[in-house]
Amino acid sequence: MKIALLPGDGIGPEIVAEAAKLLERLRRDGLRIETETAPIGGAGYDTAGQPLPDATLKLAQAADAAVMGAVGGPKYDALPRHLRPEQGLLAIRKSLGLFANLRPARLHPELAAASTLKPEAVAGLDLMIVRELTGDIYFGAPRGRRINVAGEVEGFDTMLYSEPEIRRIARVAFDIARKRKRKLCSVDKANVLDTSILWREVVTAVGGDYPDVTLSHMYVDNAAMQLVREPKQFDVIVTGNMFGDILSDEASMLAGSIGMLPSASLDASGKGLYEPIHGSAPDIAGRNMANPLATILSVALLFRYSFARDDVAERIERAVQTVLAQGHRTADIVAPGERAIGTREMGDAVAAAL
Ligand code: NAD
């Protein structure tokens, strides 16, 4: 199992170090894991003058999977756009063909009070958002500015999905639903958008191959409301790039801290980039304060989706549950009056629980 480690910037190196600690622990248990580390984002710019250095891309291409920390920071904010850290992230997703973004939102019962929603609305929450990541209005052409017949400036973008693009993301979502509660909700705006009408037709057709999965459809505006009204009605949600961008951030708040949520971005063969959903948190970088659990849970996803090792994924997820049940908390999830532990101590506790 060749795993590339891409720490990035800010808290990235601190949290990826805890993921590496866990991988080292698993290696000692007999798993044949090889890791290699390379810079990305601002760190890539500092060492090689580019946010995605060629050597980093080569390493990621040669690996079976990659674990990323986060990129970005005030030090790089004044750089021209093509050298900014986020470009490294966009470029690696595109170069590796990572079209399926999986974002599970699970609320650990011990953290029910950390959500801004009422505990009874979110306790036991376990949903998965599958977002298409390489198409839609973010990539559709033409786009730009033009002068209209009235001589006014207009901005425009193109929402666009091809049938194969919809079919492949639908298959990913149905396959995941099959491993869960077999309920898939496809989110679109088919009452208004032609792209969505096609989306709905294709998802419905793919559903014919999955008679054991219950498929439903929901308009995106309703989905935004249902996610905060009764989030536990959902098992798996599949949606396009823009709707998924917005809904997955909304769903992240259901689960309390941003420091708890992992993500996976997969290509057609299951190769993936695994990263926490949060950013580089420059405000707490270098202070041993960051919560490493989102990154550690991303490693669990890596074993589940890139190596089909559900057993290892579950071991990691159980270890995280154990440390939370034992009362270990980093600063972002600590209750008032409780003592918080640091990034390294949390990583040690998970490795010990494993
Ligand atoms: P952020 O996610 O970095 O931080 C938001 C808030 O959450 C901060 O208060 C931070 O301290 C806290 N936080 C984040 N992760 C945490 C963790 N693991 N443990 C405890 N607290 C945590 O978002 P931001 O402040 O908007 O952005 C900071 C930088 O990160 C920017 O340069 C931005 O472009 C970049 N960013 C990168 C990614 C990515 O690499 N995928 C995603 C979002 C933002």
Side-chain angles (χ1 to χ4, degrees):
M1 302 175 182
K2 280 198 187 140
I3 302 175
L5 300 178
L6 312 175
D9 310 316
I11 60 171
E14 297 169 69
I15 54 180
V16 171
E18 299 315 309
K21 200 184 267 177
L22 197 76
L23 291 171
E24 178 53 36
R25 179 72 186 71
L26 289 167
R27 189 173 13 227
R28 278 193 273 126
D29 280 357
L31 286 184
R32 294 178 57 195
I33 297 168
E34 284 171 36
T35 60
E36 203 173 320
T37 305
I40 191 168
Y45 175 76
D46 287 341
T47 50
Q50 297 172 42
L52 179 60
D54 293 340
T56 302
L57 178 59
K58 282 211 180 77
L59 175 70
Q61 281 167 335
D64 301 308
V67 178
M68 207 187 77
V71 299
K75 182 178 162 195
Y76 309 104
D77 282 350
L79 285 174
R81 196 184 162 104
H82 69 286
L83 294 176
R84 299 269 299 261
E86 309 80 59
Q87 294 304 316
L89 186 57
L90 294 177
I92 197 168
R93 283 178 182 160
K94 207 174 162 84
S95 310
L96 298 181
L98 306 173
F99 70 91
N101 184 226
L102 278 44
R103 280 203 191 183
R106 193 187 250 185
L107 185 76
H108 292 268
E110 292 84 1
L111 301 182
S115 174
T116 47
L117 270 77
K118 289 180 188 144
E120 61 269 27
V122 289
L125 176 82
D126 181 8
L127 76 88
M128 170 74 88
I129 297 191
V130 179
R131 165 188 170 197
E132 202 289 331
L133 203 56
T134 53
D136 205 356
I137 195 163
Y138 296 168
F139 293 93
R143 62 192 296 172
R145 288 185 189 205
R146 62 189 168 202
I147 306 291
N148 67 15
V149 283
E152 300 151 340
V153 183
E154 294 180 335
F156 63 99
D157 299 273
T158 302
M159 179 176 265
L160 190 149
Y161 267 121
S162 69
E163 200 180 330
E165 282 177 313
I166 304 170
R167 203 178 304 123
R168 69 179 181 176
I169 192 73
R171 288 206 175 282
V172 169
F174 275 108
D175 285 337
I176 288 172
R178 222 172 218 176
K179 289 185 167 181
R180 296 171 47 103
K181 292 184 216 131
R182 297 171 183 257
K183 267 173 61 183
L184 177 64
C185 179
S186 171
V187 171
D188 61 36
K189 188 77 183 166
N191 50 344
V192 180
L193 299 170
D194 280 322
T195 318
S196 282
I197 294 171
L198 178 68
W199 176 279
R200 196 175 274 219
E201 281 170 17
V202 175
V203 173
T204 304
V206 172
D209 294 339
Y210 296 84
D212 51 326
V213 176
T214 306
L215 173 66
S216 61
H217 301 274
M218 197 179 273
Y219 297 135
V220 61
D221 41 353
N222 187 24
M225 181 182 76
Q226 295 297 335
L227 268 176
V228 286
R229 195 184 77 89
E230 200 195 336
K232 284 188 274 185
Q233 70 184 278
F234 297 108
D235 177 24
V236 181
I237 290 176
V238 62
T239 189
N241 202 347
M242 181 166 62
F243 299 155
D245 188 2
I246 299 164
L247 293 182
S248 60
D249 263 29
E250 186 188 1
S252 74
M253 271 320 294
L254 304 172
S257 173
I258 198 170
M260 294 297 303
L261 292 169
S263 78
S265 304
L266 306 178
D267 77 356
S269 65
K271 178 171 170 158
L273 178 73
Y274 298 84
E275 54 178 318
I277 71 156
H278 58 71
S280 58
D283 52 333
I284 57 168
R287 294 167 59 192
N288 193 37
M289 275 178 75
N291 184 346
L293 293 180
T295 315
I296 286 172
L297 290 167
S298 300
V299 175
L301 296 182
L302 177 151
F303 281 101
R304 179 167 294 129
Y305 293 112
S306 284
F307 297 127
R309 289 294 302 262
D310 282 21
D311 57 326
V312 181
E314 280 161 22
R315 256 183 89 194
I316 296 171
E317 286 164 355
R318 270 202 309 276
V320 168
Q321 248 150 27
T322 302
V323 299
L324 292 173
Q326 287 167 342
H328 298 298
R329 301 281 187 274
T330 42
D332 57 312
I333 49 173
V334 80
E338 279 179 21
R339 193 182 74 88
I341 60 171
T343 310
R344 288 191 292 273
E345 292 69 31
M346 187 58 109
D348 288 341
V350 176
L354 196 77

